[in-house]
Amino acid sequence: MNKKVANPLQPANVQFASGGIQCSAYLYRPAAAQPSPIIVMAHGLGGTRKMRLTAFAERFVAQGYACLVFDYRYFGDSEGQPRQLLDIQCQLDDWKAALNYARSLPDIDPKRVILWGSSFSGGHVLATAASEPELAAVLSQCPFTDGLASTLVMNPVTSVKLTALALRDRIGAALGKQPIMVPVSGLPSETALMNSADTIAGVTALTQCDPDYKNHVAARFALDIIRYYPGRNTPKIKAPVLFCICDPDTVAPAKATLRHAKRTPRKEIKHYDYGHFDIYVGDAFEQVVQDQLNFLKKTVPVY
């Protein structure tokens, strides 16, 4: 007889090492403690695990899936200095470390590990899955797939301002100075990494879940984003992938995402008439999480 978890919706706070730094995570376990599938999850650009990822995890764990929901180094409750440093390679290393940690856990089936990413992390899970042939499945929600496509949706004046700040920050870092910060989200008239018309309202709805959220990152990241193309990895992914694409997406253009998604060997593509930030809350959340559960039940059923 399987032992029971007292409250599967009350996660344990855990840590795992990545690059000598401790990353903090929530570990959710389903009610029946048996070798179960596990979903590894992290947020998008500058986000933390508290910003509605727990809502997705609660739905998944209620259906028998364990969930590991982590903060990247330098963000949220994880360690690392300087704070708010968004380093793409470090974040990809954190995904690998989280994956290895998930596989090592007791009462987890290491052959049924699933990656779940949204926005910027929706690209990270594609890049990670391309080099992890043993994954059971991947869920990529409104994913960032193409650095050029995402850069071109931005006002050219804003791009120039961000580049100037990024260069100053990169030079300052080489001289041992403190990071120059830029806002993650802002109004269309403001200099920010995301400043589409729906950004402020969308991010505000998410940050209400994390009172400690900081709306800035080290500016040097702006030099890296245009050189990051996780969508190019899709032909190498062996696991089945669910793409949840927001057709009117103002941050991660759907046209580029769809082009990369179609090149994935084993894919299912769902389209939504919602904006980039809408699918975390309300009716949009209900629709997308149900589609994700349907996909999971087909590809990685709970025994």
Side-chain angles (χ1 to χ4, degrees):
M1 185 180 214
N2 291 323
K3 59 184 177 180
K4 299 290 184 178
V5 174
N7 183 358
L9 299 186
Q10 190 66 40
N13 284 293
V14 298
Q15 288 188 317
F16 59 88
S18 180
I21 294 173
Q22 293 295 312
C23 291
S24 294
Y26 294 135
L27 176 59
Y28 292 82
R29 289 189 177 275
Q34 59 187 0
S36 61
I38 187 167
I39 305 173
V40 183
M41 309 173 64
H43 222 306
L45 193 68
T48 71
R49 56 185 168 146
K50 297 175 183 177
M51 293 165 58
R52 289 289 292 175
L53 293 197
T54 53
F56 285 90
E58 287 172 2
R59 294 299 182 89
F60 298 147
V61 73
Q63 297 300 317
Y65 298 88
C67 292
L68 180 71
V69 189
F70 73 93
D71 283 332
Y72 298 109
R73 68 181 83 177
Y74 312 125
F75 287 89
D77 295 321
S78 292
E79 296 177 352
Q81 293 292 336
R83 303 305 295 169
Q84 303 299 112
L85 176 60
L86 205 166
D87 184 298
I88 292 173
Q89 187 55 57
C90 286
Q91 293 198 344
L92 291 172
D93 290 345
D94 293 346
W95 273 101
K96 293 276 190 177
L99 182 55
N100 290 335
Y101 175 73
R103 286 172 170 153
S104 74
L105 291 167
D107 293 320
I108 294 297
D109 185 344
K111 295 189 178 299
R112 290 192 292 159
V113 179
I114 301 149
L115 300 186
W116 183 102
S118 187
S119 192
F120 205 61
S121 69
H124 284 340
V125 296
L126 300 176
T128 302
S131 62
E132 290 285 344
E134 300 301 319
L135 288 172
V138 179
L139 297 96
S140 184
Q141 174 177 290
C142 56
F144 171 95
T145 59
D146 192 293
L148 179 60
S150 289
T151 300
L152 290 177
V153 300
M154 186 172 290
N155 183 300
V157 174
T158 301
S159 293
V160 170
K161 290 179 179 178
L162 285 172
T163 300
L165 288 168
L167 287 169
R168 285 177 53 202
D169 185 38
R170 184 63 58 82
I171 293 169
L175 298 174
K177 295 183 179 180
Q178 289 297 308
I180 295 171
M181 298 292 176
V182 297
V184 175
S185 60
L187 296 169
S189 59
E190 297 175 332
T191 301
L193 294 173
M194 297 184 293
N195 64 353
S196 59
D198 60 339
T199 293
I200 287 295
V203 172
T204 299
L206 300 181
T207 57
Q208 289 175 351
C209 304
D210 185 356
D212 298 319
Y213 170 74
K214 297 174 178 60
N215 183 35
H216 56 258
V217 297
R220 68 196 74 167
F221 169 71
L223 296 176
D224 300 326
I225 190 169
I226 197 171
R227 297 183 286 117
Y228 188 40
Y229 293 84
R232 292 178 179 174
N233 294 280
T234 54
K236 304 174 187 176
I237 300 174
K238 296 187 180 300
V241 182
L242 173 64
F243 291 91
C244 298
I245 300 175
C246 296
D247 289 327
D249 200 318
T250 58
V251 176
K255 183 177 180 181
T257 297
L258 186 59
R259 183 175 70 250
H260 292 300
K262 287 180 175 178
R263 298 166 62 234
T264 310
R266 302 167 64 191
K267 76 272 190 180
E268 182 175 334
I269 300 172
K270 292 286 186 180
H271 291 268
Y272 304 93
D273 192 25
Y274 301 121
H276 185 82
F277 302 98
D278 293 337
I279 57 177
Y280 297 97
V281 295
D283 292 341
F285 163 78
E286 296 294 339
Q287 182 180 347
V288 75
V289 78
Q290 188 58 57
D291 285 344
Q292 292 174 2
L293 283 168
N294 292 341
F295 172 78
L296 288 170
K297 290 173 183 178
K298 286 186 298 183
T299 56
V300 195
V302 176
Y303 300 143

